[in-house]
Amino acid sequence: MGSPFPSITIEDLSPSIEGGQFPIKRVPGQSVVIEATIFKEGHDAVRALLKWRAKSSHSKSTETENRNSKNQSLWQEIPMKLLENHRFQGSFQVTSVGFTEYTIEAWGDPFDSWLQEVKKKIEAGIEDLHLEAQEGAILIHAAAQRSKDNAEQQELINFAIELEKKSSLYSLKDFLKTERLLFLMHRYPDRSFSTLFEPFQQVRVDRLRAAFGAWYEFFPRSAEGKKESGSNFREALARIDDAKAMGFHVIYFPPIHPIGLTGRKGRNNSLECLPEDPGVPYAIGAVTGGHDSIEPLLGTIEDFQWLIAQVRERNMEVALDFALNCSPDHPYVQQYPEWFYHRPDGSIKYAENPPKKYEDVFPLNFYNTRWKELWKELLGIFLIWAERGVRIFRVDNPHTKPVTFWQWVIAEVQEKYPDVIFLSEAFTHPAMMKKLAKIGFTQSYSYFTWRNTKEELENYFTELTHSEMKEYFRPNLFPNTPDILPFYLQEGGRSAFLIRAALAATLSSIYGIYSGFELCENAALPGKEEYADSEKYQFKERDWNAPGNIKPWITRLNQIRNSNSALQNTHQLQFCHSNNNAIIAYLRSSEDNTNHLLIMVNLDPHQQQAATVEIPLHRLGIPYESPYCVEDLLTGECYEWKGTHNFISLNPLTHPAHIFRVKNL
Amino acid sequence: MGSPFPSITIEDLSPSIEGGQFPIKRVPGQSVVIEATIFKEGHDAVRALLKWRAKSSHSKSTETENRNSKNQSLWQEIPMKLLENHRFQGSFQVTSVGFTEYTIEAWGDPFDSWLQEVKKKIEAGIEDLHLEAQEGAILIHAAAQRSKDNAEQQELINFAIELEKKSSLYSLKDFLKTERLLFLMHRYPDRSFSTLFEPFQQVRVDRLRAAFGAWYEFFPRSAEGKKESGSNFREALARIDDAKAMGFHVIYFPPIHPIGLTGRKGRNNSLECLPEDPGVPYAIGAVTGGHDSIEPLLGTIEDFQWLIAQVRERNMEVALDFALNCSPDHPYVQQYPEWFYHRPDGSIKYAENPPKKYEDVFPLNFYNTRWKELWKELLGIFLIWAERGVRIFRVDNPHTKPVTFWQWVIAEVQEKYPDVIFLSEAFTHPAMMKKLAKIGFTQSYSYFTWRNTKEELENYFTELTHSEMKEYFRPNLFPNTPDILPFYLQEGGRSAFLIRAALAATLSSIYGIYSGFELCENAALPGKEEYADSEKYQFKERDWNAPGNIKPWITRLNQIRNSNSALQNTHQLQFCHSNNNAIIAYLRSSEDNTNHLLIMVNLDPHQQQAATVEIPLHRLGIPYESPYCVEDLLTGECYEWKGTHNFISLNPLTHPAHIFRVKNL
């Protein structure tokens, strides 16, 4: 291997994010299908191998660097097949969490070229081919030299000797078809002028939970739903068991750190704070500590570790919020004043978005002269919580901190803890949303929260699942958050919650709800998407089993997700035509296309809606003229259908969705 | 300048060929319009500069390398303007032949961000802004420090002092609109955290002839059109004067080197060669010399230099053929046997494409062990002819030699002679055609030769002029070559020649004909695109003024090209709808959109055809209801038209085309 100069053009590699600057993403067991345009000058036969290997480090590497690296695993290789017009394709499965790198090696193959030429001459009726036979024998002898297996070496030598004796078109014709010869020659090709594509491309392989999981968010101080005093970690078990019963995998807590007193906000973001007001968990830092500490009202580090052990026992895990806000009482303010913005009067600048003021929060200045200390400290915070057993971080507003910081800190954390998952909570412009996903965030919040109509949903999810985004952007769908109670939920009553739950649970394999959603809480501040009496500012009284709750619906959705691989990937999604804009229909399929679900949702929370839906029979492997049965996994009901067009009708009050499994009759 | 870490995302630069691996192409005076998506975290105001500079060397460079490079010219800068959605645009004109590199520098601007924040607070009605005023004053003082002009420095200090005194919404409101202040603050921005895009992008700037020229190809041995004996360089003047009179710029000769005797082909590629047969000029090399020598029948080096001086006096120039074939008599065969392919019987392999054999040609083996010597020798050949005054090379079949060789040799030649033009004679698959243009060929042969119908022409030229290809692929259109007499010309009679000339001369700014085209020569070998009695194998008898020749038509086309800048660029082309598939219509425009020509061609060489053509009045700046006059530059006739739809009729025997100049009445 190793031509003195590139002999082959390998270009237009796909997928390749910004020319390989950023990795594509997978979880173990998922496959990577690579295509490239590969060609050489002249008429030589070109062969190509797809090569991949797990990487010991996440940094980019070149062949030179790798020669110096000891712990590099060996390349695995598979021949790529020619599609058409010099386009080659190959695929491999990733296995281990971390980074896998891949590239292509291609070469003009002297033996294949010889075969091609001799076949042409035979076709042209050229009779004397004794020189060609000798040339072929030389190539076979050379392959024998390259062989490391004695028996195969002897086989090749025998082939060469046989070929040397042949001299005419007639004697050669059948010999060239000898399968064993072709097999052995492909096994020991002459790669002395091969070209290796650089830079090597990367796959970030995350653990399974990165691509499939249902999240349940609650404020631990609200676990018991008491109005006057909150609850603590030790009292949170009931909430966790409830989430477990509903089928969730991840328990996500807003910040659990000490809450500042200076500038503390009262109910509904009031500037007047009463002594009993618990403060906003995002105003982090007090005399009792900062980002590495726990709010005393919730408990101690030991209580927290007891809680995550309890969660783990239930086969779930805890996700923490990573919010880079400091209250005026945060220890950093005294210790590292350079990290903050100072005003001419000596005060520290609090966060503002005029006319909004956040007097309880000091933003960090990432461009201060001691930025290196700041970055290292923040890395340390991730590592402390990782050491305490946390492996998922939901990062608050990453789009207001330097992209370069996230790229660095995520790489550093995953270098030490390759199983850490980072969820980007960025609701901002598309270029930034994509960039954060490219530079390292494992999952991303999405615009789903505000996509309500069929057209909006189809456009957005087509982009997510059919553009390059499917390679690196894993959308985690939240129909609500503590900051966002969408107007659709405010106005649509209980049905709206059923509908949005069904969409979130089936349009992506990762989704989550913020607690209260299951109770259809929809009281908002007038004209805003803010919850009325938001628990960001106060203790919240709740009956977790209040009448009208949709816990059975959510439970059923999660059961269906857990037992159907079609709902365990983010990208296998195909919309189906329905002749009513209030009915959205789509096919979800497993990675290996063995499990398919046909999903239909009535987007109108107020009216029964009916539609004729076009069924992609071809993808389902159903003959056009055969009857088939669809079973609604939500209700257990079965319908016998035939052909591509079938009628459905959905009542938003009772059953706003179908999730059909198709049974061939 | 120089943030310790990238603070700004600069991405999706356009144009950028394979991520900047290859240059875009321009000629002096042409502009480069750059767009990029540029954003920063948070809400800071982002500013961006487009920067460019002529390069001393063609190699890629980074800021670090440049610091060590002495002859680097300084960056020129121009502010980029925000289009929408974080997309910025800027443009510059290239001036000097060679390489110009460009990049983008962007930063979050503290003063603009301050302005933005204060304006928001004013809008929000916040009355006490005395701290904000002081903060602004600090920024203005800092800009004063950066200013290198004493008067401007004092102005800024005065502004700062004035601002310090202000404290309220009311006093600040007008001050913020002070144009002089904004101008000076933009002149001395704080770029301490700016980000410079890397890798720097390249423009290959070629001399004007690279983008505009008409080529006339003839075999110098046929200059006098004598059947039994050829002509020599000294006898070629009449042919050159004829080409000059027709308006051509480039005289292109097939190989002029000594022709081998061994294996020499006779008439019509016959294996039997008569003593008087002159041989194929592509079988290069004899006892009298190789690629650096001249075929004795044509003359001496002195004769050649006399000829190119004559051509230069006529304001034209000579293009030579660079064909990497060696006859068995080539000096290389004895001197460097390793450069060739050897067979088991000790013979050297001649070129073959079964069943075709080229016994008079030995191909070179670019992968031989002494490849470095070979490459250097071939570079030397280019340099020898460049020293002798040749500045255009038409490279024969570059797609059968390593791409890497061309990339290297073109760079080396242009490093020494930046004005050298390379034309790629590759008729092969699209990926290779594009690659050769990307890696350095100045111009390229194209599929035009076989694109005859309206659909074929529209599809192909839309790709050439509206895809990324317009940035690097300059198509040189040849309706015929010594190897290709297309069926359209064989079958369409004289009209076919008129039509193809009009298309070639107006669809691109570079085109050429192989001599005999003007005489409508159309005798072919049966069923092939080969000329009958091709002058590749024999002397050719011709009356250069034979009746029926289309020299006046070609002359008029070249006159129109020479006096209309709309026909002097390769890419400003827009097809217009016509309601008859036999009539193609298009608008050609100058770079600066001041010169427009409306061209309509009847593609049917047999029948008069008429159509209603849709005129792009908006692009021509003609009001929809105003009458306007179109003047056919081919005939001088004028028509008064009105509105978008107008009727035309074209007779292929007399006037198969219109070239309209529009006059607003």
Side-chain angles (χ1 to χ4, degrees):
Chain A
M1 200 170 70
S3 176
F5 54 88
S7 64
I8 304 274
T9 298
I10 305 172
E11 63 179 21
D12 205 3
L13 213 73
S14 150
S16 176
I17 312 302
E18 296 192 23
Q21 270 190 74
F22 303 107
I24 60 169
K25 290 180 189 152
R26 294 293 187 274
V27 294
Q30 285 186 329
S31 59
V32 177
V33 181
I34 303 297
E35 285 188 21
T37 301
I38 303 175
F39 56 92
K40 186 177 181 289
E41 79 279 359
H43 304 287
D44 286 349
V46 169
R47 287 181 59 203
L49 292 176
L50 177 60
K51 301 163 71 110
W52 70 99
R53 61 183 174 191
K55 269 188 82 180
S56 42
S57 136
H58 62 269
S59 62
K60 273 191 200 175
S61 64
T62 64
E63 195 56 12
T64 327
E65 285 163 19
N66 289 330
R67 277 197 209 104
N68 305 327
S69 154
K70 287 164 195 169
N71 300 320
Q72 198 64 65
S73 59
L74 287 174
W75 288 114
Q76 294 182 267
E77 298 177 340
I78 195 166
M80 298 183 79
K81 70 164 192 269
L82 178 61
L83 301 177
E84 55 174 355
N85 291 332
H86 309 270
R87 194 84 182 147
F88 285 73
Q89 191 189 65
S91 73
F92 63 94
Q93 274 199 347
V94 292
T95 48
S96 49
V97 169
F99 283 88
T100 291
E101 61 184 355
Y102 61 94
T103 185
I104 291 170
E105 184 183 341
W107 64 93
D109 191 87
F111 185 74
D112 279 9
S113 303
W114 174 84
L115 266 182
Q116 201 170 273
E117 189 189 332
V118 175
K119 281 180 186 165
K120 266 195 190 174
K121 288 183 176 176
I122 289 174
E123 270 170 42
I126 296 169
E127 294 197 1
D128 177 7
L129 296 172
H130 79 281
L131 277 181
E132 282 75 7
Q134 286 179 44
E135 284 165 342
I138 291 169
L139 295 171
I140 299 172
H141 275 300
Q145 292 298 314
R146 286 189 293 271
S147 155
K148 275 156 197 157
D149 175 293
N150 281 342
E152 290 177 346
Q153 189 170 54
Q154 194 52 53
E155 272 188 277
L156 282 165
I157 291 170
N158 294 343
F159 278 126
I161 292 168
E162 190 186 342
L163 179 55
E164 275 159 9
K165 292 179 199 147
K166 302 192 183 292
S167 63
S168 72
L169 181 164
Y170 312 100
S171 58
L172 268 172
K173 216 170 174 175
D174 287 337
F175 181 81
L176 298 186
K177 293 176 190 156
T178 316
E179 288 214 6
R180 179 69 184 163
L181 170 65
L182 301 180
F183 170 81
L184 288 174
M185 289 305 290
H186 271 208
R187 185 160 191 158
Y188 301 109
D190 176 4
R191 284 151 68 170
S192 52
F193 279 97
S194 77
T195 299
L196 196 62
F197 182 86
E198 287 189 311
F200 298 160
Q201 308 287 299
Q202 313 294 324
V203 194
R204 165 73 209 171
V205 186
D206 298 299
R207 61 190 169 101
L208 293 169
R209 188 58 72 226
F212 172 55
W215 293 42
Y216 184 76
E217 173 179 8
F218 73 92
F219 286 64
R221 72 187 182 194
S222 303
E224 295 207 323
K226 289 184 294 192
K227 193 170 191 172
E228 297 312 328
S229 69
S231 41
N232 62 35
F233 284 147
R234 299 269 172 184
E235 296 163 332
L237 270 195
R239 192 87 317 273
I240 286 161
D241 283 329
D242 206 17
K244 172 73 184 169
M246 281 189 274
F248 288 99
H249 309 110
V250 177
I251 299 295
Y252 152 41
F253 295 143
I256 57 172
H257 314 302
I259 299 171
L261 274 170
T262 308
R264 178 178 282 195
K265 297 294 178 83
R267 298 184 168 214
N268 287 310
N269 203 21
S270 162
L271 279 175
E272 282 176 47
C273 177
L274 304 175
E276 66 269 27
D277 286 337
V280 179
Y282 290 89
I284 295 168
V287 284
T288 50
H291 283 75
D292 55 353
S293 307
I294 299 234
E295 162 64 34
L297 290 178
L298 293 175
T300 63
I301 295 288
E302 291 66 41
D303 294 333
F304 175 73
Q305 292 199 305
W306 169 85
L307 184 68
I308 63 172
Q310 290 292 323
V311 171
R312 206 177 295 128
E313 251 177 41
R314 287 160 176 78
N315 249 323
M316 296 191 287
E317 68 177 298
V318 162
L320 280 199
D321 207 317
F322 188 85
L324 286 181
N325 306 315
C326 294
S327 96
D329 307 325
H330 198 291
Y332 291 162
V333 177
Q334 299 300 321
Q335 215 174 333
Y336 305 103
E338 301 88 344
W339 292 357
F340 299 89
Y341 295 94
H342 296 265
R343 308 204 70 183
D345 66 350
S347 67
I348 293 181
K349 202 172 159 69
Y350 51 77
E352 282 182 279
N353 187 13
K356 285 190 206 162
K357 296 180 179 187
Y358 305 91
E359 293 89 345
D360 55 343
V361 169
F362 288 167
L364 286 160
N365 176 3
F366 281 81
Y367 299 91
N368 77 81
T369 50
R370 298 175 67 178
W371 62 273
K372 277 191 186 169
E373 288 169 323
L374 169 63
W375 291 30
K376 276 189 192 150
E377 169 68 20
L378 299 179
L379 167 61
I381 299 293
F382 277 116
L383 295 178
I384 283 169
W385 290 106
E387 277 156 35
R388 289 173 183 160
V390 176
R391 289 292 186 279
I392 305 183
F393 295 97
R394 175 271 197 193
V395 175
D396 189 65
N397 281 331
H399 58 291
T400 59
K401 288 93 197 171
V403 167
T404 310
F405 166 71
W406 297 119
Q407 184 166 14
W408 172 81
V409 84
I410 291 171
E412 291 289 324
V413 174
Q414 289 185 335
E415 177 82 17
K416 197 156 181 189
Y417 298 99
D419 57 342
V420 171
I421 289 170
F422 293 88
L423 165 62
S424 158
E425 188 258 356
F427 292 114
T428 182
H429 61 92
M432 178 60 100
M433 302 278 286
K434 292 176 190 174
K435 200 75 190 184
L436 290 168
K438 288 177 186 174
I439 57 95
F441 280 95
T442 321
Q443 305 179 348
S444 310
Y445 277 61
S446 76
Y447 301 150
F448 166 76
T449 312
W450 303 276
R451 297 292 178 271
N452 299 308
T453 68
K454 182 160 109 174
E455 192 186 359
E456 287 167 354
L457 289 163
E458 286 187 354
N459 287 346
Y460 186 51
F461 281 88
T462 297
E463 186 191 3
L464 290 175
T465 60
H466 290 264
S467 78
E468 194 187 63
M469 284 180 85
K470 70 168 184 265
E471 303 291 348
Y472 65 85
F473 190 97
R474 298 194 187 101
N476 193 334
L477 312 186
F478 275 82
N480 70 329
T481 78
D483 292 318
I484 312 165
L485 174 62
F487 294 117
Y488 183 91
L489 294 180
Q490 293 182 32
E491 294 155 7
R494 184 176 180 273
S495 301
F497 286 80
L498 296 173
I499 290 166
R500 296 297 289 177
L503 291 170
T506 60
L507 279 166
S508 180
S509 47
I510 36 180
Y511 89 108
I513 61 168
Y514 154 55
S515 60
F517 181 91
E518 70 273 36
L519 307 179
C520 307
E521 289 178 357
N522 67 353
L525 296 183
K528 296 192 172 173
E529 291 188 323
E530 278 282 333
Y531 279 90
D533 302 323
S534 165
E535 65 179 315
K536 287 191 289 185
Y537 309 102
Q538 66 187 70
F539 299 119
K540 188 101 183 166
E541 187 168 86
R542 282 191 180 102
D543 170 4
W544 291 109
N545 294 303
N549 76 69
I550 61 165
K551 285 157 77 175
W553 179 256
I554 291 169
T555 306
R556 189 69 201 125
L557 287 168
N558 283 334
Q559 283 168 350
I560 296 169
R561 285 166 49 91
N562 287 334
S563 51
N564 283 278
S565 52
L567 296 177
Q568 295 173 11
N569 69 72
T570 51
H571 60 280
Q572 288 261 60
L573 170 67
Q574 193 80 49
F575 287 101
C576 308
H577 180 72
S578 92
N579 65 350
N580 177 347
N581 277 338
I583 304 268
I584 192 167
Y586 44 98
L587 178 73
R588 291 281 274 130
S589 305
S590 62
E591 290 272 332
D592 60 2
N593 285 304
T594 56
N595 181 236
H596 298 281
L597 294 179
L598 268 172
I599 296 159
M600 296 159 202
V601 183
N602 176 1
L603 301 174
D604 177 354
H606 306 293
Q607 306 277 341
Q608 172 128 359
Q609 295 280 354
T612 297
V613 177
E614 209 172 307
I615 313 300
L617 294 182
H618 181 73
R619 286 226 46 195
L620 296 167
I622 297 170
Y624 281 78
E625 291 311 311
S626 305
Y628 53 98
C629 168
V630 292
E631 177 194 356
D632 188 343
L633 301 180
L634 289 165
T635 60
E637 279 171 24
C638 285
Y639 305 89
E640 195 179 315
W641 281 358
K642 198 176 156 187
T644 49
H645 288 74
N646 290 282
F647 178 82
I648 61 148
S649 179
L650 292 163
N651 182 338
L653 298 177
T654 54
H655 290 102
H658 285 310
I659 300 182
F660 285 130
R661 187 162 53 195
V662 178
K663 295 177 177 173
N664 216 329
L665 287 181
Chain B
M1 200 169 74
S3 176
F5 55 87
S7 63
I8 304 273
T9 298
I10 305 173
E11 63 178 21
D12 205 4
L13 214 72
S14 148
S16 175
I17 313 301
E18 297 192 22
Q21 270 189 73
F22 303 108
I24 59 169
K25 290 180 189 151
R26 294 293 187 274
V27 294
Q30 286 186 329
S31 59
V32 177
V33 181
I34 304 296
E35 286 188 20
T37 301
I38 304 174
F39 56 91
K40 185 178 183 287
E41 79 280 0
H43 303 287
D44 285 349
V46 169
R47 287 181 58 202
L49 291 176
L50 177 60
K51 301 163 71 111
W52 71 99
R53 62 183 173 190
K55 268 189 81 180
S56 42
S57 137
H58 62 268
S59 62
K60 274 190 201 174
S61 65
T62 63
E63 194 57 13
T64 327
E65 285 162 19
N66 288 329
R67 279 198 207 103
N68 305 327
S69 153
K70 288 164 198 168
N71 300 321
Q72 198 65 66
S73 59
L74 287 174
W75 289 113
Q76 293 183 267
E77 298 176 339
I78 195 167
M80 297 183 79
K81 70 164 192 267
L82 178 61
L83 301 176
E84 53 174 356
N85 291 332
H86 309 271
R87 193 84 182 146
F88 285 73
Q89 192 189 63
S91 74
F92 63 94
Q93 275 200 346
V94 292
T95 48
S96 49
V97 169
F99 283 88
T100 290
E101 63 184 356
Y102 61 93
T103 185
I104 290 170
E105 183 183 342
W107 64 94
D109 192 86
F111 185 74
D112 279 10
S113 303
W114 173 84
L115 266 182
Q116 201 170 272
E117 188 190 332
V118 175
K119 280 179 186 165
K120 266 195 191 174
K121 288 183 175 175
I122 289 174
E123 268 170 44
I126 296 169
E127 294 198 2
D128 177 8
L129 295 172
H130 79 280
L131 277 181
E132 283 74 7
Q134 285 179 45
E135 284 166 341
I138 290 168
L139 295 170
I140 299 172
H141 274 299
Q145 291 298 315
R146 288 188 293 272
S147 156
K148 276 157 196 155
D149 176 290
N150 280 344
E152 290 178 346
Q153 189 170 55
Q154 193 53 55
E155 273 188 274
L156 282 164
I157 291 170
N158 293 344
F159 277 127
I161 291 168
E162 190 186 342
L163 179 54
E164 275 160 10
K165 292 179 200 148
K166 302 191 184 293
S167 64
S168 73
L169 182 164
Y170 313 100
S171 57
L172 267 172
K173 216 168 176 177
D174 288 336
F175 181 81
L176 298 185
K177 292 176 189 155
T178 315
E179 289 213 5
R180 180 70 184 163
L181 169 65
L182 302 179
F183 170 81
L184 288 174
M185 289 306 289
H186 272 207
R187 187 160 190 159
Y188 301 109
D190 177 5
R191 283 151 68 171
S192 53
F193 279 98
S194 77
T195 299
L196 197 63
F197 182 85
E198 288 190 310
F200 298 160
Q201 308 287 299
Q202 312 295 323
V203 193
R204 166 72 208 170
V205 185
D206 299 299
R207 62 190 167 100
L208 293 169
R209 188 58 72 227
F212 172 56
W215 293 43
Y216 183 76
E217 172 178 10
F218 72 94
F219 287 63
R221 72 187 183 195
S222 301
E224 294 206 324
K226 290 184 295 191
K227 191 170 191 171
E228 297 311 330
S229 70
S231 41
N232 63 34
F233 283 148
R234 298 270 172 183
E235 296 164 333
L237 272 197
R239 191 86 319 273
I240 285 161
D241 282 329
D242 207 17
K244 172 73 185 170
M246 282 188 275
F248 287 99
H249 309 110
V250 177
I251 300 294
Y252 152 42
F253 294 142
I256 57 173
H257 315 301
I259 298 171
L261 274 170
T262 307
R264 178 179 284 195
K265 297 293 179 83
R267 298 184 168 213
N268 287 311
N269 202 22
S270 162
L271 280 175
E272 281 177 47
C273 176
L274 304 175
E276 65 269 27
D277 285 338
V280 179
Y282 289 89
I284 294 167
V287 285
T288 48
H291 283 76
D292 55 354
S293 306
I294 299 238
E295 162 64 33
L297 289 179
L298 292 176
T300 63
I301 296 288
E302 291 67 40
D303 294 334
F304 176 73
Q305 292 200 305
W306 169 85
L307 184 68
I308 63 172
Q310 290 292 323
V311 171
R312 206 177 294 129
E313 251 176 41
R314 287 160 176 77
N315 249 324
M316 296 192 288
E317 69 177 298
V318 162
L320 280 198
D321 207 317
F322 188 85
L324 286 181
N325 306 315
C326 294
S327 97
D329 307 326
H330 197 293
Y332 291 162
V333 178
Q334 297 300 320
Q335 216 175 332
Y336 304 104
E338 300 89 343
W339 292 358
F340 298 90
Y341 295 94
H342 295 266
R343 309 206 69 182
D345 66 351
S347 67
I348 293 180
K349 201 173 160 71
Y350 51 77
E352 282 183 279
N353 188 11
K356 284 190 207 163
K357 296 179 178 188
Y358 305 91
E359 294 90 344
D360 56 343
V361 168
F362 289 169
L364 287 160
N365 176 2
F366 280 81
Y367 299 90
N368 77 80
T369 50
R370 298 175 68 178
W371 62 274
K372 277 190 188 172
E373 288 169 324
L374 170 62
W375 291 29
K376 276 189 192 151
E377 170 68 19
L378 299 179
L379 168 60
I381 299 293
F382 277 117
L383 295 178
I384 283 169
W385 291 105
E387 277 157 35
R388 290 172 183 161
V390 176
R391 288 292 185 280
I392 305 183
F393 295 97
R394 175 271 197 194
V395 174
D396 189 66
N397 280 332
H399 58 291
T400 60
K401 288 93 196 169
V403 167
T404 311
F405 166 69
W406 297 119
Q407 185 166 13
W408 172 79
V409 84
I410 291 171
E412 292 289 325
V413 173
Q414 289 185 336
E415 177 83 15
K416 198 155 181 189
Y417 298 99
D419 56 342
V420 171
I421 289 170
F422 293 88
L423 166 61
S424 158
E425 187 258 356
F427 291 114
T428 182
H429 62 92
M432 179 60 100
M433 302 279 283
K434 291 177 191 173
K435 200 75 190 183
L436 291 167
K438 287 177 186 174
I439 57 95
F441 280 96
T442 322
Q443 303 179 349
S444 310
Y445 277 60
S446 77
Y447 301 149
F448 167 74
T449 311
W450 302 277
R451 297 292 178 271
N452 298 307
T453 68
K454 181 160 111 173
E455 193 186 359
E456 287 168 354
L457 289 163
E458 285 187 354
N459 287 346
Y460 186 49
F461 281 88
T462 296
E463 186 191 3
L464 289 175
T465 60
H466 289 263
S467 78
E468 193 187 64
M469 285 180 85
K470 70 168 186 264
E471 302 291 346
Y472 66 84
F473 191 97
R474 297 193 187 101
N476 192 335
L477 311 185
F478 276 82
N480 71 330
T481 79
D483 292 318
I484 312 165
L485 174 61
F487 295 115
Y488 183 91
L489 293 180
Q490 293 182 32
E491 293 155 8
R494 184 177 180 273
S495 300
F497 287 80
L498 295 174
I499 290 165
R500 296 297 290 176
L503 291 170
T506 59
L507 279 166
S508 180
S509 47
I510 38 181
Y511 89 109
I513 60 168
Y514 155 54
S515 60
F517 181 91
E518 70 272 36
L519 308 179
C520 307
E521 289 179 355
N522 67 353
L525 296 183
K528 296 192 173 174
E529 291 187 323
E530 277 282 331
Y531 278 91
D533 303 323
S534 165
E535 66 178 316
K536 286 190 289 185
Y537 310 101
Q538 66 186 70
F539 299 118
K540 188 100 184 168
E541 187 167 85
R542 282 193 182 102
D543 171 4
W544 291 110
N545 292 303
N549 77 68
I550 61 164
K551 284 157 74 173
W553 178 256
I554 291 169
T555 306
R556 189 69 201 123
L557 287 169
N558 283 335
Q559 283 168 351
I560 295 169
R561 285 165 49 90
N562 287 333
S563 51
N564 283 278
S565 52
L567 297 177
Q568 295 173 10
N569 69 73
T570 51
H571 60 279
Q572 287 261 60
L573 170 67
Q574 192 79 49
F575 287 101
C576 309
H577 180 72
S578 92
N579 64 350
N580 177 347
N581 276 339
I583 303 269
I584 193 167
Y586 43 99
L587 178 73
R588 292 281 273 128
S589 305
S590 61
E591 291 271 333
D592 61 2
N593 285 303
T594 57
N595 180 235
H596 298 281
L597 294 178
L598 266 172
I599 296 159
M600 296 158 202
V601 183
N602 176 1
L603 301 175
D604 177 354
H606 305 294
Q607 307 277 339
Q608 172 128 359
Q609 295 280 355
T612 297
V613 177
E614 210 174 306
I615 313 300
L617 294 182
H618 181 73
R619 285 226 48 193
L620 297 166
I622 296 170
Y624 281 78
E625 291 311 311
S626 304
Y628 53 98
C629 169
V630 292
E631 177 193 357
D632 188 343
L633 300 180
L634 289 165
T635 60
E637 280 170 23
C638 284
Y639 305 88
E640 195 179 317
W641 280 357
K642 198 176 156 188
T644 50
H645 289 73
N646 289 282
F647 179 82
I648 61 148
S649 179
L650 291 165
N651 182 339
L653 298 177
T654 53
H655 289 102
H658 285 311
I659 300 182
F660 285 129
R661 187 162 52 195
V662 179
K663 294 178 179 174
N664 216 329
L665 288 181

